[in-house]
Amino acid sequence: MGTKVILAYSGGLDTSVAIPWLMENYNAEVITLTIDLGGGKGLGDDTRERAIQAGATKALVIDAKDAFVQHFVFPALQAGSIYQGQYPLATALGRPLIARYLVEVARTEGAATVAHGCTGKGNDQVRFDLGVTNLEPEFHIIAPAREWGMTRDEEIDYAKQHNIPLSLSSNKTYSTDENLWGRSIEAGDLEDPWLEPPEAAFSWTNSIEKTPDQPLYLEISFEEGIPVAINHQRMNGISLIEQISSFAGEHGIGRIDHLEDRLVGIKSRELYEAPAATVLHISHRALESAVLDRNQLRFKDSVSQEYADLVYNGLWYTKF
Ligand code: ARG
């Protein structure tokens, strides 16, 4: 076997195809690394088996929900970090943490090459590349989907030839990403900004027709800007976010329709579902309006935007 490569693995089509592709094109020994940031179906044995079946020599899964909440989500909440006034940055906040685990696992496994499944069109490639490079400038980074030039149909053929089991999501219409803080939905017919967001794009939030007729009251307690309890019941950050997400989602809160300026220079229409982030940002803001004066609030607004841009642009581990 040749180069040892640690591949950030979601279990989806791109990263599954990347396993045999790295073996064929880089003579690589592939170790997959799946980081569970919550919000999804739960990543466990299934993901591990898919990776091994596709040719990985080892498949690691790390539950990083707590680290994500403590070191990324809550600091971003305190910072009021919302990109272009709309996007609470769920995907963008998750990338630097995945990059950190890629570097750590590579060091433990004695590898100097990492790989990710991003294409050349989005922000995520930049976040992974910068995250890894800032933590470990000597590492080599491979992005198979940026190199291989296959269409989605060609990828599916490639997967079939290499005995990769196709999941339902292989013929999905949108590109999605999920974690505790929110769900991102993009591509396909959404690229037409005139198109009203199709109901099929959403899965965490109810449409208005389906929301309960009775309103729901939630009282959220904060300590030093961190939410700690719902209706006086204390709980850890993960449960608090999950509970708010499901209550608010049921009431149709947290749908976002954004024409976004990507860091790679294109405007892109994006949808998000972020019920917990929406409720928590609004409550945190309400708290600030009670304890900060107008000059402090104005200053906070300007640094919030700065912070959001740094997160969006993948600069988490840089000095500024
Ligand atoms: N546009 C958003 C961002 O840059 C969402 C990216 C979603 N990623 C994905 N692979 N679908 O953060």
Side-chain angles (χ1 to χ4, degrees):
M1 285 273 184
T3 332
K4 214 186 237 191
V5 177
I6 315 297
L7 168 70
Y9 184 66
S10 68
L13 181 68
D14 288 341
T15 52
S16 296
V17 165
I19 300 172
W21 188 90
L22 283 164
M23 293 161 67
E24 281 176 2
N25 292 272
Y26 283 86
N27 185 31
E29 175 197 340
V30 181
I31 296 177
T32 60
L33 173 63
T34 305
I35 304 298
D36 186 353
L37 298 178
K41 342 109 233 231
L43 302 156
D45 292 346
D46 244 28
T47 316
R48 233 176 254 125
E49 270 161 37
R50 280 176 70 78
I52 300 291
Q53 199 176 336
T57 55
K58 210 192 246 190
L60 305 167
V61 178
I62 295 178
D63 178 348
K65 295 196 280 290
D66 191 54
F68 184 49
V69 171
Q70 301 311 325
H71 304 302
F72 293 83
V73 171
F74 282 169
L77 172 64
Q78 288 176 297
S81 178
I82 299 178
Y83 183 64
Q84 297 189 309
Q86 298 256 46
Y87 167 37
L89 294 161
T91 298
L93 285 163
R95 299 316 190 188
L97 181 55
I98 300 174
R100 196 183 88 198
Y101 280 112
L102 275 175
V103 169
E104 278 174 15
V105 168
R107 286 181 184 141
T108 352
E109 296 289 337
T113 306
V114 300
H116 59 71
C118 304
T119 66
K121 272 176 73 182
N123 303 311
D124 289 327
Q125 52 168 344
V126 183
R127 297 173 185 144
F128 279 128
D129 291 353
L130 288 178
V132 170
T133 310
N134 278 298
L135 295 171
E136 186 47 85
E138 301 295 324
F139 276 7
H140 180 51
I141 303 166
I142 308 174
R146 209 159 50 185
E147 283 181 39
W148 62 39
M150 285 189 271
T151 62
R152 197 153 180 96
D153 286 341
E154 286 163 351
E155 260 186 78
I156 292 176
D157 284 344
Y158 187 95
K160 286 182 185 149
Q161 283 158 25
H162 292 79
N163 280 327
I164 293 171
L166 296 170
S167 63
L168 278 178
S169 60
S170 309
N171 49 19
K172 65 185 184 181
T173 347
Y174 305 119
S175 165
T176 57
D177 178 65
E178 300 177 346
N179 65 41
L180 265 178
W181 203 225
R183 178 166 180 267
S184 308
I185 312 122
E186 57 188 23
D189 54 8
L190 301 181
E191 284 180 2
D192 174 4
W194 284 105
L195 181 85
E196 184 177 338
E199 207 40 49
F202 298 110
S203 71
W204 289 12
T205 50
N206 271 332
S207 63
I208 287 299
E209 296 82 9
K210 296 208 173 120
T211 55
D213 290 334
Q214 295 308 314
L216 177 75
Y217 286 84
L218 296 179
E219 191 173 320
I220 300 163
S221 314
F222 285 84
E223 273 171 16
E224 300 188 357
I226 304 282
V228 294
I230 306 174
N231 296 339
H232 303 283
Q233 199 191 333
R234 285 186 83 92
M235 61 189 83
N236 68 36
I238 302 172
S239 311
L240 182 133
I241 293 171
E242 284 174 347
Q243 287 197 21
I244 296 180
S245 182
S246 95
F247 286 135
E250 198 195 346
H251 284 261
I253 292 177
R255 289 188 175 185
I256 296 158
D257 182 358
H258 185 205
L259 194 54
E260 177 170 307
D261 284 80
R262 282 195 188 171
L263 126 87
V264 290
I266 40 181
K267 275 194 188 281
S268 163
R269 197 287 187 87
E270 313 269 329
L271 299 180
Y272 299 101
E273 293 183 285
T278 301
V279 168
L280 286 169
H281 271 296
I282 291 173
S283 349
H284 188 267
R285 183 79 193 160
L287 179 69
E288 281 182 334
S289 71
V291 298
L292 301 182
D293 71 28
R294 61 184 171 177
N295 293 317
Q296 291 171 317
L297 284 167
R298 186 171 314 149
F299 176 74
K300 173 72 192 279
D301 277 345
S302 67
V303 283
S304 289
Q305 283 183 33
E306 203 62 42
Y307 191 106
D309 284 354
L310 291 174
V311 172
Y312 190 82
N313 294 339
L315 299 170
W316 191 268
Y317 300 112
T318 57
K319 290 192 200 70
F320 59 96

